[in-house]
């Protein structure tokens, strides 16, 4: 799909007609912010940035690009960690921030309808104003958008209790690569009439359609939320505690994350925080317990009953807002602390919970041969989701990718848990998906995007263009 210069000029003029001159950015200096991502690893020169203001404008942008065979990448808040939302050379970046309207009480008081460009923080605030809550929350909340969250099927700590973004969807509006606007925003909670295409678009990382609006489920806020931190000697103990907490607390356990010792040390040094517990530990568990109704009994007492043998110095709890934020800060601040040290090489994987200790031990053994690397592990323990973060890797390191992702596959895990495949892991998709599954994915992609303009080369690579 080489694009001759004269065709680019035509495309730019046509795009300016669709979105207006002010929402077509071609100035190299202004484009820079949209061309690199939160990891600092991905992104090339874009042809231009366009900022449509409605679903119809999105459709017209895609029609213009489709006719010219000009590739497009969709960008929400650009907090993605898999390289899926930043341009490859010469792509048009479709930035979704103008589609940010939020409407509460749209036919169902337990739903809200949000534009793709609304941020997670804005959705949470709109839900709060309606006296309700949106289930998901994670540190990129001020920038991550509804469209990006649907596209990556984002999750975060509370997905343990409420499920990922796909589970929060009561309806969707999206535009296919050919410019067809698909709308399923009716205010019903159950809808089995025909194929569930919104479920297919969720997690498709901008390769099948552009999300323009979403009908999101809300829930009643719990009566209380208590936070705890527990120190475990090692991953075997951490997994044992997890099984105990999950079976003992059931649906009252809203979140259960883990942080390894190097990550705790990094956050303490960067944020100038005190040690979270009186003694040091190999692995730290941080979690939230809900009291859904008054009279359910204090959550932290229930927790103490479930863990009678835990020494006092290995557990701390918080019931007030400041205390809760303080304990979660050790987990939430890791990303930023790592980024401050340079380029971060990230793997977001999931494993059957019982195999997490083998994974961690194998990784330590493998990486001992690469002393230049600093390894930080944390993640959503209750879901078996591990974020492997490495400092000291320069550029792309295929041997390292193979080593880590093959180990995950050999233990029966998944090479991607919640961040997306994007460009980062597309060459490894075959490790955990069969040839038949990959062929189906390519067929679906070809059907919805026959010219191959949308997020091309991300997630699943077409056979013609390896
Ligand atoms: C500090 C930090 C913490 C994070 N924590 C978590 C976490 O706990 N859980 C988690 O799941 N993720 C987490 N992330 C990753 C990231 O925030 C999520 O993947 C988020 O969903 C991306 O949203 P975005 O709007 O920034 O999307 P972008 O980064 O802009 O794009 C991500 C992908 O979605 C596609 N896309 C974006 N908008 C649309 C649209 N409207 N239609 C179709 N495709 C679209 C893009 O093409 C790209 O493939 C974290 C990131 C950071 C920086």
């Amino acid at each position: 799909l080489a694009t001759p210069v004269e065709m680019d000029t035509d495309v730019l003029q046509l795009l300016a007609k669709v979105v207006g001159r002010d929402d077509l950015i071609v100035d190299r200096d202004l484009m820079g912010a949209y061309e690199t991502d939160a990891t600092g690893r991905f992104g090339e020169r874009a042809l231009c940035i366009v900022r449509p203001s409605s679903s119809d404008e999105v459709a017209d942008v895609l029609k213009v690009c489709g006719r010219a065979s000009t590739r497009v990448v969709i960008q929400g808040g650009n907090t993605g960690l898999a390289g899926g939302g930043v341009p490859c050379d010469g792509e048009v970046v479709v930035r979704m921030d103008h589609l940010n309207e939020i409407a509460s009480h749209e036919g169902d008081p337990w739903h809200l309808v949000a534009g793709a460009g609304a941020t997670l923080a804005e959705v949470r605030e709109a839900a709060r104003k309606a006296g309700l809550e949106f289930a998901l929350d994670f540190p990129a909340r001020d920038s991550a958008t509804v469209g990006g969250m649907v596209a990556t099927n984002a999750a975060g700590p509370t997905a343990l209790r409420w499920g990922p973004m796909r589970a929060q969807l009561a309806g969707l509006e999206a535009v296919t690569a050919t410019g067809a606007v698909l709308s399923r925003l009716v205010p019903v909670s159950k809808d089995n009439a025909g194929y569930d295409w919104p479920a297919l678009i969720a997690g498709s990382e901008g390769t099948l359609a552009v999300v323009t609006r979403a009908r999101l489920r809300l829930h009643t806020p719990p009566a209380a939320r208590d936070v705890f931190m527990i120190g475990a000697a090692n991953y075997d103990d951490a997994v044992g505690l997890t099984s105990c907490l999950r079976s003992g607390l059931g649906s009252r356990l809203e979140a259960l994350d883990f942080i390894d010792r190097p990550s705790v040390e990094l956050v303490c040094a960067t944020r100038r925080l005190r040690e979270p517990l009186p003694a040091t530990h190999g692995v730290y568990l941080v979690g939230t317990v809900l009291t859904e109704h008054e009279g359910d009994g204090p959550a932290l007492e229930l927790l103490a009953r479930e863990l009678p043998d835990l020494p006092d110095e290995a557990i701390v709890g918080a019931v007030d807002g400041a205390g809760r934020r303080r304990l979660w800060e050790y987990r939430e601040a890791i990303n930023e602390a790592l980024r401050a040290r340079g380029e971060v090489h990230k793997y977001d994987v999931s494993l059957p919970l019982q195999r997490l200790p083998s994974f961690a031990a194998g990784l330590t053994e493998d990486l001992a041969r690469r002393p230049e690397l600093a390894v930080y592990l944390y993640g959503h323990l209750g879901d078996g989701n591990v974020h492997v973060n490495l400092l000291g890797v320069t550029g792309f390191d295929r041997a390292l990718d193979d080593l880590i992702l093959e180990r995950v596959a050999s233990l029966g895990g998944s090479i991607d848990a919640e961040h997306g495949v994007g460009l980062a892991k597309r060459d490894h998709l075959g490790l955990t998906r069969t040839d038949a599954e990959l062929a189906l994915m390519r067929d679906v992609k070809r059907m919805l995007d026959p010219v191959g303009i949308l997020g091309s080369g991300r997630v699943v690579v077409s056979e013609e263009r390896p």
Side-chain angles (χ1 to χ4, degrees):
L1 293 182
T3 7
V5 173
E6 61 275 18
M7 191 183 281
D8 285 355
T9 314
D10 277 356
V11 169
L12 293 176
Q13 280 171 359
L14 291 168
L15 289 175
K17 265 196 198 152
V18 175
V19 295
R21 292 249 164 237
D22 288 350
D23 285 313
L24 176 77
I25 304 171
V26 288
D27 181 322
R28 280 269 144 242
D29 290 340
L30 296 178
M31 281 160 69
Y34 307 95
E35 291 174 328
T36 49
D37 69 358
T39 67
R41 288 179 66 205
F42 300 98
E44 294 173 349
R45 284 283 174 96
L47 174 65
C48 64
I49 318 294
V50 280
R51 300 169 75 208
S53 296
S54 65
S55 307
D56 288 341
E57 283 191 10
V58 171
D60 289 343
V61 165
L62 294 179
K63 284 179 194 161
V64 166
C65 293
R67 278 196 288 269
S69 295
T70 298
R71 290 180 182 175
V72 166
V73 62
I74 312 304
Q75 190 175 97
N78 197 12
T79 66
L81 300 171
V86 279
C88 296
D89 212 17
E91 287 182 337
V92 171
V93 176
V94 180
R95 178 84 191 183
M96 301 296 288
D97 43 354
H98 283 337
L99 281 89
N100 62 350
E101 243 175 70
I102 298 180
S104 306
H105 295 283
E106 280 284 290
D108 183 324
W110 304 95
H111 293 168
L112 61 75
V113 176
T119 64
L120 171 57
E122 287 163 352
V123 165
R124 289 186 59 79
E125 179 57 15
R128 196 193 61 76
K129 281 188 179 148
L132 297 169
E133 246 184 18
F134 179 63
L136 301 184
D137 193 19
F138 51 82
R141 59 183 74 81
D142 291 327
S143 304
T145 62
V146 167
M149 290 179 66
V150 173
T152 55
N153 189 26
T158 55
L160 179 68
R161 167 68 176 82
W162 306 103
M165 192 62 173
R166 191 180 280 122
Q168 317 310 322
L169 282 183
L172 197 68
E173 181 185 86
V175 182
T176 67
T178 52
V181 180
L182 305 175
S183 190
R184 196 72 201 142
L185 287 172
V186 286
V188 294
S189 284
K190 295 176 93 178
D191 183 6
N192 268 353
Y195 298 142
D196 186 6
W197 63 263
L200 175 68
I201 304 303
S204 65
E205 299 182 51
T207 63
L208 297 183
V210 183
V211 174
T212 46
R213 280 194 293 170
R215 177 176 281 277
L216 301 175
R217 297 179 203 282
L218 306 178
H219 63 84
T220 313
R225 229 180 210 112
D226 298 338
V227 173
F228 62 89
M229 183 177 274
I230 299 173
N234 51 43
Y235 285 103
D236 280 314
D237 287 0
V239 165
L241 283 163
T242 302
S243 303
C244 191
L245 289 168
R246 288 202 67 176
S247 54
L249 299 176
S251 64
R252 290 187 66 176
L253 185 64
E254 186 181 43
L256 183 62
D257 276 25
F258 81 97
I259 318 170
D260 72 352
R261 179 68 199 154
S263 302
V264 167
E265 284 174 10
L266 178 77
V267 169
C268 287
T270 312
R271 290 266 175 123
R272 296 176 193 283
L273 297 179
R274 274 182 300 158
E275 284 286 334
L277 293 169
T280 59
H281 303 269
V283 185
Y284 296 74
L285 281 65
V286 58
T288 302
V289 195
L290 302 177
T291 301
E292 299 218 40
H293 311 284
E294 306 284 357
D296 278 354
L300 292 179
E301 274 178 28
L302 178 65
L303 182 81
R305 271 209 306 278
E306 292 302 324
L307 307 169
D309 300 330
L310 207 66
D312 282 353
E313 66 273 15
I315 182 163
V316 64
V319 293
D320 63 290
R324 289 195 299 258
R325 277 192 296 281
R326 192 182 66 80
L327 288 182
W328 271 106
E329 186 179 356
Y330 292 95
R331 164 68 184 83
E332 291 213 337
I334 305 174
N335 230 311
E336 186 193 301
L338 282 166
R339 193 70 186 92
R341 305 274 161 132
E343 188 180 308
V344 191
H345 210 81
K346 284 177 174 293
Y347 303 89
D348 161 44
V349 301
S350 65
L351 292 137
L353 189 60
Q354 301 304 331
R355 297 196 178 156
L356 205 148
S358 312
F359 174 71
L363 193 71
T364 309
E365 204 179 301
D366 288 342
L367 297 182
R369 280 175 239 129
R370 300 277 306 261
E372 78 280 14
L373 303 181
V375 188
Y376 301 87
L377 301 185
Y378 59 91
H380 312 301
L381 184 60
D383 286 323
N385 183 177
V386 184
H387 298 322
V388 179
N389 290 261
L390 302 175
L391 292 178
V393 185
T394 35
F396 292 84
D397 192 329
R398 178 66 194 239
L400 193 61
D401 294 351
D402 291 348
L403 188 77
I404 293 175
L405 298 177
E406 282 170 14
R407 180 169 286 286
V408 170
S410 73
L411 289 168
S414 170
I415 62 156
D416 183 64
E418 59 175 19
H419 291 165
V421 173
L423 288 173
K425 285 181 276 186
R426 63 163 197 194
D427 296 336
H428 292 86
L429 199 55
L431 282 176
T432 53
R433 295 300 200 134
T434 62
D435 287 348
E437 286 181 293
L438 294 176
L440 175 68
M441 289 183 207
R442 287 191 194 102
D443 286 347
V444 171
K445 167 76 178 155
R446 253 192 303 271
M447 192 188 65
L448 286 176
D449 181 14
V451 184
I453 57 163
L454 206 51
S456 198
R458 282 87 170 170
V459 187
V460 64
V461 188
S462 71
E463 280 147 325
E464 308 87 71
R465 284 200 305 267

